[in-house]
Amino acid sequence: MTNVFVFAGRSARRFSRSPDTVVSTVIFPLLLLVTLHAVFSQAVEAFEDGAAYGQRLVPTLVFSGIMFGTIAIAAGVNTEVQDGWFDRIRSMPVSPAAPLAGAVIGDAVRAVIAVAVLVGVGHLFGFRFDNGVLPAVGFVAVAIVAAMTFTWMAIYFGVIAKSREALLGPLNAVFLLMLFLSRGMVPLDAYPGWAQPIVRANPATAYVTLLDRLARGGELVQPFLIAAGWTVAISGVFGSLAVRRIRTAGGRPPADSVAAPEPTPI
């Protein structure tokens, strides 16, 4: 367990030294907050009888910063796989799962920073914790859990990707679809009928709904159970696959997938 916390500290320190992570966690969501509020606030506030659009938007962008920030973590893991760092770890008396678990725990620091910055700036756009102190604490806790959950997903793709370039495009595309097909941007009823089942089934909708209810009130049991189910499913599946890959192959592609070297001419 000590090794896990050593790697968690390493992961937390890398956050401050990674411009990519800072941009995707803080800068990108802040730009979205300003842009989306300017474009959609009047339409959505009219649709919801004057409810402040910032109240809906901030939980969505907290989740967005958390989710997109994991891409930089995945890229870092991929670089370490390609450089043979995990191979060296496997030669030491350290569990192969310790670096991955440490990265996930260290990501909690990034989640707290994302919440603090976005909630602070979101206050200028009408965001408030109207539901009391304990739900506000729950808001931060859910954000941390969501960060750790999607870190496992990102780590798995970082482990299996053949290069950084092969990783970034698909992962960005998946996360963008999850973000824009969630109920955080606009109300569910504003989507076309064919899209509403997709929006309901989207994991992003589950987390954003729970964050929104914790901030401004509403029924919590159903969104909590749905978000908890996604947490267990995503963490369990991608976490076990990533640890298995690191344990068996150091994260590298199987030997039979690597082309044999050409013979040296005599």
Side-chain angles (χ1 to χ4, degrees), residues 56-216:
R56 163 186 292 279
L57 195 56
V58 168
T60 303
L61 296 183
V62 165
F63 176 78
S64 166
I66 285 168
M67 184 170 62
F68 279 97
T70 64
I71 295 177
I73 296 171
V77 169
N78 182 261
T79 299
E80 290 172 342
V81 167
Q82 303 301 328
D83 290 347
W85 185 79
F86 280 100
D87 291 328
R88 295 192 292 274
I89 291 296
R90 292 174 68 225
S91 68
M92 300 177 182
V94 175
S95 168
L100 305 184
V104 172
I105 294 174
D107 201 42
V109 176
R110 185 179 63 86
V112 172
I113 293 172
V115 171
V117 172
L118 285 163
V119 166
V121 176
H123 193 82
L124 303 175
F125 293 87
F127 178 78
R128 300 289 186 273
F129 283 115
D130 294 330
N131 206 23
V133 175
L134 287 180
V137 173
F139 184 99
V140 178
V142 170
I144 291 173
V145 171
M148 297 170 71
T149 300
F150 280 87
T151 298
W152 276 122
M153 177 188 287
I155 283 175
Y156 172 70
F157 286 107
V159 167
I160 66 171
K162 294 182 179 180
S163 68
R164 183 186 179 99
E165 292 73 21
L167 166 72
L168 297 181
L171 206 52
N172 266 306
V174 169
F175 286 168
L176 278 172
L177 281 173
M178 289 178 62
L179 176 63
F180 286 103
L181 285 176
S182 74
R183 68 169 293 276
M185 295 295 182
V186 296
L188 179 64
D189 294 340
Y191 285 93
W194 62 266
Q196 291 184 15
I198 299 173
V199 174
R200 287 193 188 95
N202 185 351
T205 292
Y207 291 105
V208 168
T209 301
L210 182 55
L211 290 170
D212 181 51
R213 298 277 178 86
L214 285 166
R216 60 176 176 173

